């Protein structure tokens, strides 16, 4: 018996969200971000205080934070709560036999999501270190982050499929001789499947507006550690200076807003444009999620502010110094003329 797999037209229709679905997805991701920020603040405090938190007990606590959100219904999939070498297993699922304590000695990878009755299926991944990360952790994390940012920033012409832009998030890993053995992005349902068909980075199906997709590059060292950063994005029309042949151009808009770990970022590896994106993203976290946790959990709010501080690139610093020199010269000339 031969089986053939063909894209079903109704799958594409379902994956293109209408206005109400778009609004529901955005609201659900803000609720999920509020829960996850409070959880990450909580687990960091627990680990630093020496109290025992394991992969499984941490996941249970995360659900408690989600259950405080007004529209939460249930998890959208079984969480990947993975510490140290377990994080190198891409589709790891902690069990009583594999469950380990989370400490400040290694990386913690959390890939988790929920279903929200406002019409959202959420799926976000962040990798954290609760102590002092090794340089190898920081370089891997930063190169994964750089790739994630480049994908989010890309502008592509109508007719472009996800497979056509899959090299963008991999390039900074490839430059180091690294790679990852999973797709970069998959479709997301509206309180449906967390992996929705048709639109992803493995096919040439053209991406169109109002499609939600994950942006999740990673890097994994067997029996050592794993890094994955997953931010869900929505395809939107791009504003371009020119419009060749009256073509439509698209880009991505982020809809999940959970801080990255600044301890793991080697800013010197990043371009000015990437740092600008990171600063803009951090401002959005403060503006969109901050009001949802400021009063209910002031300590988590303060932690979030610390995780989203603005970064000044070397070139920015040089411009500040350079501008100061010019201003001083100008003032000197004015004084001499007087």
């Amino acid at each position: 018996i031969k089986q053939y797999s063909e894209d079903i037209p109704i799958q594409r229709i379902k994956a293109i969200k209408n206005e109400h679905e778009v609004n529901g997805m955005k609201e659900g991701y803000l609720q999920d971000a509020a829960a996850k920020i409070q959880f990450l603040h909580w687990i960091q405090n627990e680990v630093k205080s020496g109290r025992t938190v394991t992969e499984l007990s941490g996941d249970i606590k995360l659900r408690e934070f989600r259950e405080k959100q007004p529209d939460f219904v249930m998890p959208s999939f079984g969480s990947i709560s993975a510490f140290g070498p377990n994080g190198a297993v891409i589709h790891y699922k902690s069990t009583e036999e594999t469950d380990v304590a989370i400490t400040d000695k290694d990386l913690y990878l959390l890939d988790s999501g929920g279903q929200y009755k406002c019409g959202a299926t959420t799926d976000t991944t962040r990798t954290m270190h609760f102590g002092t990360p090794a340089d190898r952790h920081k370089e891997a994390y930063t190169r994964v982050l750089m790739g994630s940012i480049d994908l989010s920033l890309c502008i592509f012409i109508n007719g472009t499929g996800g497979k056509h832009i899959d090299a963008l998030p991999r390039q900074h890993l490839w430059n180091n001789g690294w790679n990852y053995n999973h797709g970069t992005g998959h479709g997301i349902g509206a309180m449906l499947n967390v992996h929705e068909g048709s639109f992803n980075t493995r096919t040439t199906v053209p991406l169109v507006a109002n499609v939600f997709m994950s942006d999740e590059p990673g890097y994994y060292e067997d029996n050592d550690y794993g890094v994955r950063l997953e931010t869900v994005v929505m395809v939107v029309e791009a504003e371009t200076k020119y419009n060749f042949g009256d073509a439509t151009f698209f880009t991505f808009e982020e809809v999940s807003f959970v801080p990255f770990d600044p301890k793991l970022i080697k800013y010197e590896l990043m371009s000015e444009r990437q740092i600008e994106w990171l600063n803009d993203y951090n401002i959005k976290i403060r503006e969109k999620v901050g009001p949802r946790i400021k009063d209910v959990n002031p300590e988590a709010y303060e932690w979030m502010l610390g995780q989203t501080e603005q970064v000044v690139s070397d070139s920015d610093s040089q411009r500040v110094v350079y501008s100061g020199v010019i201003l001083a010269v100008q003032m000197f000339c004015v004084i001499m003329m007087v």
Side-chain angles (χ1 to χ4, degrees):
I1 299 174
K2 292 184 178 181
Q3 294 182 342
Y4 297 91
S5 178
E6 184 67 29
D7 193 35
I8 301 172
I10 198 170
Q11 288 183 330
R12 298 193 190 185
I13 297 171
K14 181 165 66 73
I16 301 171
K17 310 301 188 285
N18 61 37
E19 179 183 356
H20 299 292
E21 290 172 323
V22 168
N23 292 336
M25 289 284 278
K26 289 183 176 181
E27 170 61 23
Y29 272 92
L30 293 178
Q31 291 186 30
D32 201 68
K36 190 163 283 187
I37 287 172
Q38 291 180 79
F39 168 75
L40 291 175
H41 164 257
W42 172 85
I43 192 173
Q44 178 173 290
N45 276 353
E46 293 298 295
V47 171
K48 286 188 173 182
S49 299
R51 291 184 284 270
T52 300
V53 181
T54 71
E55 295 169 335
L56 290 177
S57 68
D59 187 32
I60 292 172
K61 186 67 177 181
L62 173 58
R63 175 159 183 157
E64 291 179 13
F65 282 112
R66 283 200 171 107
E67 287 174 343
K68 295 177 182 178
Q69 299 305 310
D71 290 325
F72 178 73
V73 177
M74 60 184 292
S76 54
F77 62 99
S79 295
I80 299 174
S81 176
F83 181 72
N86 290 339
V89 182
I90 294 172
H91 296 115
Y92 173 76
K93 181 174 177 59
S94 186
T95 65
E96 291 184 0
E97 290 73 29
T98 64
D99 188 27
V100 295
I102 298 163
T103 73
D104 62 355
K105 304 302 182 184
D106 215 329
L107 295 174
Y108 174 55
L109 189 157
L110 178 64
D111 185 343
S112 182
Q115 301 282 22
Y116 291 82
K117 62 185 177 184
C118 55
T121 297
T122 68
D123 181 9
T124 306
T125 307
R126 290 295 182 262
T127 303
M128 308 289 293
H129 199 297
F130 303 122
T132 302
D135 188 71
R136 71 184 192 280
H137 295 151
K138 295 173 67 173
E139 177 157 5
Y141 186 98
T142 305
R143 289 185 178 276
V144 171
L145 176 60
M146 290 161 65
S148 177
I149 292 173
D150 284 358
L151 181 60
S152 186
L153 280 171
C154 80
I155 293 175
F156 51 93
I157 196 168
N158 184 36
T160 301
K163 190 173 183 178
H164 298 139
I165 55 177
D166 187 55
L168 291 174
R170 298 179 187 268
Q171 60 184 320
H172 301 291
L173 294 168
W174 288 350
N175 290 343
N176 226 30
W178 291 346
N179 197 19
Y180 53 92
N181 294 322
H182 61 74
T184 303
H186 58 80
I188 308 281
M191 202 179 171
L192 290 169
N193 295 331
V194 71
H195 283 205
E196 190 168 65
S198 296
F199 300 99
N200 55 63
T201 56
R202 291 185 181 273
T203 71
T204 57
V205 177
L207 296 168
V208 295
N210 290 14
V211 164
F212 287 78
M213 190 177 78
S214 66
D215 171 358
E216 54 175 313
Y219 180 67
Y220 313 89
E221 285 281 356
D222 289 345
N223 303 311
D224 193 353
Y225 68 91
V227 174
R228 183 160 64 253
L229 300 173
E230 178 181 18
T231 301
V232 171
V233 295
M234 180 179 72
V235 180
V236 296
E237 287 195 23
E239 295 182 6
T240 55
K241 184 176 181 180
Y242 303 107
N243 186 217
F244 181 81
D246 292 328
T248 301
F249 289 83
F250 296 107
T251 188
F252 295 111
E253 173 188 327
E254 307 84 31
V255 297
S256 50
F257 296 99
V258 179
F260 299 101
D261 190 344
K263 295 192 303 298
L264 284 163
I265 302 175
K266 298 182 73 169
Y267 297 103
E268 65 272 19
L269 295 180
M270 300 176 68
S271 69
E272 184 177 345
R273 191 169 182 232
Q274 290 165 345
I275 290 177
E276 181 182 354
W277 181 96
L278 181 60
N279 283 333
D280 288 343
Y281 183 74
N282 284 339
I283 289 173
K284 291 174 184 175
I285 294 174
R286 292 184 171 200
E287 293 178 346
K288 293 176 180 291
V289 190
R292 295 171 181 256
I293 61 176
K294 186 174 183 180
D295 294 330
V296 298
N297 195 332
E299 292 183 356
Y301 176 77
E302 291 299 322
W303 177 84
M304 178 272 292
L305 293 180
Q307 297 293 107
T308 56
E309 290 181 348
Q310 295 289 283
V311 180
V312 179
S313 67
D314 290 341
S315 55
D316 286 338
S317 301
Q318 291 167 4
R319 277 202 299 272
V320 171
V321 173
Y322 183 63
S323 299
V325 171
I326 291 178
L327 179 60
V329 172
Q330 289 175 336
M331 290 298 295
F332 176 78
C333 291
V334 170
I335 293 171
M336 294 300 293
M337 289 175 65
V338 173

